[in-house]
Amino acid sequence: SQQGEEDPQALSIQEGENATMNCSYKTSINNLQWYRQNSGRGLVHLILIRSNEREKHSGRLRVTLDTSKKSSSLLITASRAADTASYFCATGLIQGAQKLVFGQGTRLTINP
Amino acid sequence: NAGVTQTPKFQVLKTGQSMTLQCAQDMNHEYMSWYRQDPGMGLRLIHYSVGAGITDQGEVPNGYNVSRSTTEDFPLRLLSAAPSQTSVYFCASRPDMGYGYTFGSGTRLTVV
């Protein structure tokens, strides 16, 4: 099974609301990354958080990491229609650190 | 900067045919990877490279070969195409494992 698993698999909210997506993983990591994929496009790197960091911000994005629970969350504040996309977490493992392992993604829909 | 360039964008193969998916990056990145994306499966790592002349297998390497003769290029070869290889293939590069990946726009491959 996948190293990283996102929850929920799909999320639909109204424009202006906040969106929260969660990622759980199984083995120890060096870092955890979040990516966005618009339909039919390649992935875009959003943010990287290292294993010794607990929280990181980038614009309207806030990422938290809890290594004791092996989980991370991505919060998008004041959502916009343009945020409609799939969001993936990816883990850089301690063992096999050269690899980046992706979860199955959360499909986020922002309704106007 | 072109970033990561993948060719072709679309390809239809007959079962048993071979072909090479091209990937080139102009950012002087050491790390490059190939992923395949199937519905409901997220992205799965096929092969990766940490520098010219160095490649290794990912999660799903069977049926694929890679080589890395230069920093810029990382072609993926399908040896004998099978319908199970119908997928969208993404190439990605990054400076090293402490950074996020830059993705290409993908190659949509159909094997009939």
Side-chain angles (χ1 to χ4, degrees):
Chain A
S1 59
Q2 300 277 111
Q3 154 75 341
E5 295 189 0
E6 286 92 342
D7 171 63
Q9 291 188 342
L11 178 63
S12 180
I13 61 173
Q14 295 299 119
E15 196 167 16
E17 294 181 338
N18 295 340
T20 299
M21 289 157 273
N22 303 296
C23 172
S24 60
Y25 58 92
K26 297 175 181 173
T27 57
S28 297
I29 62 172
N30 267 317
N31 61 70
L32 186 144
Q33 305 179 27
W34 286 90
Y35 289 79
R36 183 187 74 235
Q37 183 181 35
N38 292 94
S39 182
R41 308 291 293 273
L43 281 76
V44 175
H45 179 252
L46 296 176
I47 199 163
L48 180 152
I49 186 166
R50 303 185 196 285
S51 60
N52 61 353
E53 297 175 313
R54 291 298 167 256
E55 188 170 310
K56 207 161 183 180
H57 297 255
S58 177
R60 293 184 295 113
L61 306 181
R62 173 180 167 247
V63 169
T64 62
L65 178 64
D66 187 334
T67 53
S68 66
K69 295 181 179 178
K70 291 186 168 61
S71 67
S72 174
S73 66
L74 170 67
L75 168 68
I76 303 174
T77 60
S79 63
R80 305 167 182 168
D83 295 328
T84 293
S86 292
Y87 292 82
F88 295 88
C89 72
T91 49
L93 308 179
I94 287 181
Q95 290 199 331
Q98 304 92 334
K99 304 178 189 178
L100 192 65
V101 181
F102 282 80
Q104 296 180 2
T106 293
R107 175 68 190 168
L108 174 65
T109 302
I110 309 299
N111 301 304
Chain B
N1 268 354
V4 178
T5 302
Q6 290 185 238
T7 56
K9 293 192 184 306
F10 301 93
Q11 183 71 49
V12 178
L13 288 179
K14 294 182 179 179
T15 297
Q17 287 184 318
S18 62
M19 78 160 295
T20 299
L21 278 61
Q22 301 292 344
C23 176
Q25 52 94 7
D26 61 359
M27 298 171 285
N28 202 33
H29 286 173
E30 291 295 327
Y31 283 58
M32 297 186 75
S33 291
W34 276 102
Y35 290 88
R36 60 177 288 174
Q37 185 175 32
D38 303 295
M41 297 290 291
L43 278 81
R44 291 183 292 170
L45 180 63
I46 304 172
H47 285 286
Y48 65 98
S49 169
V50 298
I54 306 170
T55 64
D56 205 346
Q57 298 180 349
E59 306 165 75
V60 289
N62 292 341
Y64 307 95
N65 272 355
V66 292
S67 60
R68 184 97 180 271
S69 56
T70 67
T71 300
E72 295 78 17
D73 299 301
F74 191 41
L76 178 72
R77 281 182 290 277
L78 279 70
L79 309 175
S80 177
S84 60
Q85 293 178 304
T86 293
S87 188
V88 181
Y89 291 84
F90 288 102
C91 178
S93 74
R94 57 179 174 168
D96 67 35
M97 60 188 179
Y99 291 81
Y101 268 117
T102 299
F103 276 80
S105 57
T107 294
R108 186 174 296 273
L109 176 69
T110 302
V111 183
V112 298

